[in-house]
Amino acid sequence: MEGVTDSGLATLPASDRPDVAARLRTALLGASFTADGLLELLGAPAYAALARSETVPALRATRGDTPLETLVRLFLLQQPVPHARVADMLPVDDLLGSGWLTRAGGDEVAATVDVRPYGGPDGEDWFIVSDLGCAVGGAGGIGQRHEGVVLGVGGASTTLAGITVRTPVSAALDLGTGSGIQALHAAQHATRVTAIDLNPRALHITALTLALSGAPAADLREGSLFEPVKEEETYDLIVSNPPFVISPDARLTYRDGGMSGDDLCRSLVQQAGERLTEGGFAQFLANWQHVAGEDWQDRVRSWVPRGCDAWIVQREVQDVNQYAELWLRDSGDHRGDTAEYQARYDAWLDEFEARKVKGVGFGWITLRKTGANVPSVTVEEWPHPIEQPLGETIRAHFDRLDYLREHDDADLLEGHFRLAVEVVQEQVGLPGAEDPEHVVLRQHRGMRRATKVDTVGAGFAGVCDGSLSAGRILDAIAQLMGEDPVLLRDRTPAQIRLLVEQGFLEPTG
């Protein structure tokens, strides 16, 4: 069949024709085929439906014949359109020759890949390329069972992009690049970007994503995990949205790692340390098993390589039934033969039962290479809402770790601190009571933490503006409360240390 590979997937556009990609990009931008343009054309409800892989509202909103409506139907909704209608807005002959378009019978043309507008963090107009019908990646029920299928933007990929530390670096590595979303982000602040994937089709699509988005080409390498990385190579930033799904087989390359249990994520994290430069960050999304009789925090803590600080955050936990159902829907098994679906479901539960797995955690792992004698490893559960992007919050977390490591309690009392922006105080108690039962400090930025403090802690935080040392503030509080200032100085540094670690207080000197 013309335009289809032996695997049943569409033949991809040529990745060695950046000139054609550049002309296509110019044409798309000229027609306002951008994230903002789509929102204005479709309206918020239909635009949001696209993110759920629901196309009917968008089809209804593009029944006219404007250039933008035509491009939406062609590249987003995979509808054939008349050749004559696109000839005035696109370099059709070049796109047919290089494989972006194919003839669809009669006088119509069709897209060979999905092209989805994607807004960059600073307002850039980017485009993410993926296989047809796979623009929304990750647990979206796309129903694709081809081993080499390449997905586009999903919740996992945007989460990783949002938590990544965005400081200028010399070398960045995107491991398991997929459609190239992380490589595209990294290209904005890294001099050199390397993208690795086991699936050669993913590398091909990554090249298309970068070219169509006007980004520099990446060093594309085929292989598993760090295998394609040379022994002497290190990176300032490593990011990975790996095939972390814990499954009984390896049917789908984009999600199933092909290793037992959570071994792929463990291997990825453990091997990252030796690939980082001093001070470099490695950031991953991961799943981990909750095993009967074992503390999940101890499990993931054991993955952290020597010489690295780590911050591991569990965002969600699912029982094994929920987990199996989620990923069976992802591959569309729930829409197939009932007996086959039940057999696959049984296989998942058999695998979990054999390993005594009661649930699966999902979250993110950040490593930072450090020269500290005693690295810091923080493992926590935080299922509450956060504010994305979180990259600057994560970078600041590790900066504060350095500060606390370098300052003992006496140094803290000499230090100056400032209350972080948008921190509010809440007092909880019975109506009419003279004193609150407890006081809570709450962040409205970043992690949006809340922490309980005593009267001294609340009073201390409230007057921290960087002008007075911690010791002088405590002396004033002791005088107001009629307490011994020496005893107050002795017992308060632990609370100050916690408020600094969690980002409520920022050192100013």
Side-chain angles (χ1 to χ4, degrees), residues 99-152:
W100 287 93
L101 299 178
T102 186
R103 296 192 181 276
D107 62 350
E108 292 186 319
V109 295
T112 58
V113 288
D114 188 293
V115 176
R116 178 161 296 227
Y118 180 74
D122 296 316
E124 301 94 343
D125 288 316
W126 293 338
F127 301 96
I128 307 300
V129 180
S130 64
D131 274 313
L132 295 173
C134 300
V136 180
I142 60 170
Q144 279 280 8
R145 303 191 190 188
H146 297 298
E147 180 182 357
V149 68
V150 179
L151 275 61

Side-chain angles (χ1 to χ4, degrees), residues 246 259-261 263 289 291-292 350-357:
I246 300 171
M259 295 187 186
S260 298
D263 282 354
Q289 298 173 149
V291 179
D350 286 344
E351 180 79 7
F352 286 135
E353 185 177 356
R355 297 180 176 278
K356 300 181 179 179
V357 176

